[in-house]
Structures are given as structure tokens and as C-alpha cells.
Amino acid sequence: GAVFYFYFAEGEGNKLNISGKLVKLREKKPLVHNMTNVVVTNFTANGLLAIGASPVMAFAKEEVADMAAIAGALVLNIGTLEKDLIDSMIIAGKSANENGVPVLLDPVGAGATTFRTEQAKRILSEINVNVLRGNAAEVANVIGEEWSIKGVDAGEGSGDVIQMAKKAAQQLHCTVVITGKTDVVSDGDQTYLVNNGHPLLTSVTGTGCLLTSVIGAFCAIHEDHAEAALSALVTYGAAAEQAAALAEAHGTGTFQIEFLNQLSKITANEIEQMADYSHETAA
Ligand code: ATP
Ligand code: TZP
Ligand code: MG
Ligand code: MG
């Protein structure tokens, strides 16, 4: 229809075409294979459905290679890890790598325990991870920098998250997304800062985990993973802003549901109006 044409036409003069990627995602409905934690499994599946992707959760060693091979993206999340589960993630990751399926890693709680940090590093050493997404503390710990962490929350830390994202991207040869009040995306060459979002996102468990899976859905339909992550972050943050405007007076439970509503309802036009980001190219 007319709206459709307008966005692609506009995109010709706007290389990043943030909202055009959401339109494509909703058309293609990519399958996202999630090996995620027991806390967020249902929320992740509903959030992916809301945005227009097709979620599947599969963990068994006997099937993960086959599932990853047919997926548009594979998301590995160590939130409630066990040794056997990580072994299964390695099998899935190798299959994704062999089949050209993008692999995302959410190193939930890296730095909180030695086991988490070691297993996150093991995944990064045995698999070609395309996108690493975590809070500042998690990313710092994965690349061996000092940053305090309390459980799975970021905790107090200081440091330049922009420099850390660039350093991590160069060191790990992947796209790195560090989230917080301002989100940073870097592939070591192109760097984006995103200001969309709302503090209520920090009061609902699984909003980071779902975000990693949503970035996976965008990576399934766009091969520049830094650009895919940028579109995902703007869309996600803008949906949260709309949800907060409608639900903030009611509290976090209503916000959680309204956020799913807004992931499903946000339009390309609203995203273009609300997008709040900047772009820096390496000199
Ligand atoms: P943490 O355990 O530190 O909460 P997380 O894995 O839940 O980490 P977040 O950093 O909370 O991940 O990111 C999830 C989403 O919440 C992102 O879209 C991010 O932009 C948003 N967000 C986080 N903190 C804020 C904030 N203070 N203001 C606005 N948006 C935020
Ligand atoms: N404990 C282990 S995993 C998990 C908790 C509370 C969920 C963390 O989700 P998020 O997205 O990092 O807030
Ligand atoms: Mg959070
Ligand atoms: Mg998290």
C-alpha cells in the first residue's frame, strides 16, 4: 500500500532506514531459536510474537543442531546455565555457524560468579558469535575488565561504555551492544548511541533477555548486524516509551503487558518520529 511505498522510498535517502527493517521483519516473520533461561522463556516468546517474529525454544542435544540450522537467528542466554546446557549451546552454535545463521550471546550475570564468566568465555572461544549483548558489567567481565556486578543487574561501575563497546567488538570480532540508559552498538568500525527507552524497563525481569532475542530477529532479516541492532534498539525503546505513557500510573505489571501491546502495535511512522540516536564512523 501507500504507507509501505513511502517508507522504502524514504529509505533510499536514509541508508539506515530504521523503520523499514521492522516492516521487513513483520513481512518475513523470521524463526528465532532461543536457548534462554527459565525466568524469561514465556516473556521472550510473547515478545518475539508481538514484534512479528516466530519464536522457538529448543534445548536438547539431540535436536538443537537441526533447529539452529533452519532458524533465522540463534540466541544463547546463560541466565540459568548448567554445564549440560552450555554443551548443548555449543552444538547449536556450531550448526548455526556452519549454516550461516547469526548467533547472539547474552552473558547474563557474567562476573557474578566464576562459572558464568568462564562459560561465557567458553562459548565465545568455541563459536563464532556475531552479536554480544549485555549490560556494562557483563560485557566488561567477558573481556576481562574490572566492573562490579550484583547478581544479574549491572551494579555500580564507572568507565567509558563507548570505548568499552569498541574495544570488545575489536577484541571479539563481533558486534557488541551495551545497554543501559543510553545503549551503545559497535562493530569496531561503526558506532551508534541510542537514547530511546524508559526506566520502567529496569523494573520488569527479562527485558534485557527479550531485547537480545529481538536483536536476533532483526539480524535474521538484515546482514549488517550493527544496523540491525540499531533498528532493534530504537524500536524496542520507542515501544517502551509508548507503553510507559499509557501504563506508568498503574505500575510495573501493567507496564509489562502494555509493552507487549506496543511491540505489536508500534508503526513505522511512530518509529521515525521517535527515533533518538547518533552515529559515529571510525576515522
Ligand atoms: P540489567 O540487569 O542491568 O537491568 P538487562 O540485561 O536487563 O540489564 P538493560 O540494560 O536493562 O538489560 O536493557 C534492557 C532495555 O532497557 C534496553 O532497551 C535499555 O535501553 C533499557 N534501559 C535500561 N536502563 C534504562 C534507563 N535507565 N532508562 C531508559 N531505558 C533503559
Ligand atoms: N536470574 C537469572 S536469569 C534472570 C534472573 C532474574 C533474568 C534476567 O533477565 P534480564 O533481561 O537480564 O533482566
Ligand atoms: Mg534491565
Ligand atoms: Mg540481562
Side-chain angles (χ1 to χ4, degrees):
V3 174
F4 213 63
Y5 171 75
F6 174 74
Y7 282 103
F8 283 109
E10 188 178 66
E12 287 165 16
N14 167 17
K15 187 179 84 70
L16 294 172
N17 194 9
I18 303 286
S19 65
K21 293 182 192 66
L22 177 62
V23 172
K24 187 171 176 189
L25 189 162
R26 285 173 173 164
E27 260 177 20
K28 301 232 169 198
K29 303 191 189 326
L31 180 67
V32 180
H33 177 188
N34 305 276
M35 298 181 72
T36 193
N37 66 74
V38 300
V39 182
V40 305
T41 301
N42 178 273
F43 183 60
T44 301
N46 277 317
L48 284 168
L49 282 172
I51 201 154
S54 180
V56 67
M57 279 58 182
F59 301 96
K61 285 193 179 74
E62 293 81 0
E63 70 164 351
V64 290
D66 291 344
M67 191 65 82
I70 58 163
L74 172 68
V75 180
L76 307 178
N77 177 308
I78 67 165
T80 48
L81 74 177
E82 292 180 50
K83 173 74 171 62
D84 265 11
L85 179 60
I86 303 292
D87 292 344
S88 200
M89 287 183 185
I90 301 288
I91 293 169
K94 286 187 171 152
S95 170
N97 284 169
E98 280 161 18
N99 288 282
V101 174
V103 179
L104 296 91
L105 173 64
D106 191 327
V108 183
T113 66
T114 307
F115 183 56
R116 277 173 198 265
T117 313
E118 280 175 354
Q119 295 304 312
K121 287 181 177 170
R122 179 185 164 210
I123 291 169
L124 284 160
S125 72
E126 293 187 32
I127 291 168
N128 180 10
V129 169
N130 301 98
V131 179
L132 174 72
R133 199 295 309 169
N135 62 40
E138 290 160 347
V139 173
N141 280 287
V142 163
I143 62 166
E145 302 227 329
E146 292 295 318
W147 200 292
S148 73
I149 183 163
K150 186 185 87 188
V152 297
D153 293 318
E156 296 303 309
S158 59
D160 185 336
V161 287
I162 302 171
Q163 283 312 316
M164 188 162 68
K166 289 180 186 170
K167 182 179 174 183
Q170 283 160 359
Q171 192 171 314
L172 300 169
H173 304 287
C174 70
T175 294
V176 172
V177 181
I178 302 178
T179 53
K181 187 175 187 304
T182 297
D183 305 316
V184 186
V185 180
S186 184
D187 61 12
D189 179 28
Q190 309 294 315
T191 300
Y192 306 96
L193 303 185
V194 179
N195 282 312
N196 291 108
H198 193 279
L200 272 174
L201 284 170
T202 64
S203 302
V204 174
T205 194
T207 55
C209 301
L210 170 58
L211 172 63
T212 306
S213 291
V214 166
I215 296 171
F218 279 82
C219 288
I221 59 91
H222 191 77
E223 64 184 17
D224 181 316
H225 296 145
E227 290 180 6
L230 170 66
S231 283
L233 288 164
V234 169
T235 303
Y236 200 84
E241 289 168 34
Q242 291 193 333
L246 292 165
E248 192 161 19
H250 298 281
T252 56
T254 303
F255 172 77
Q256 182 187 15
I257 298 302
E258 192 53 42
F259 180 52
L260 294 177
N261 289 340
Q262 294 306 318
L263 284 174
S264 74
K265 291 184 72 96
I266 195 161
T267 65
N269 195 20
E270 286 165 339
I271 287 165
E272 292 299 331
Q273 299 297 318
M274 296 173 76
D276 184 3
Y277 69 94
S278 59
H279 179 195
E280 174 191 309
T281 305

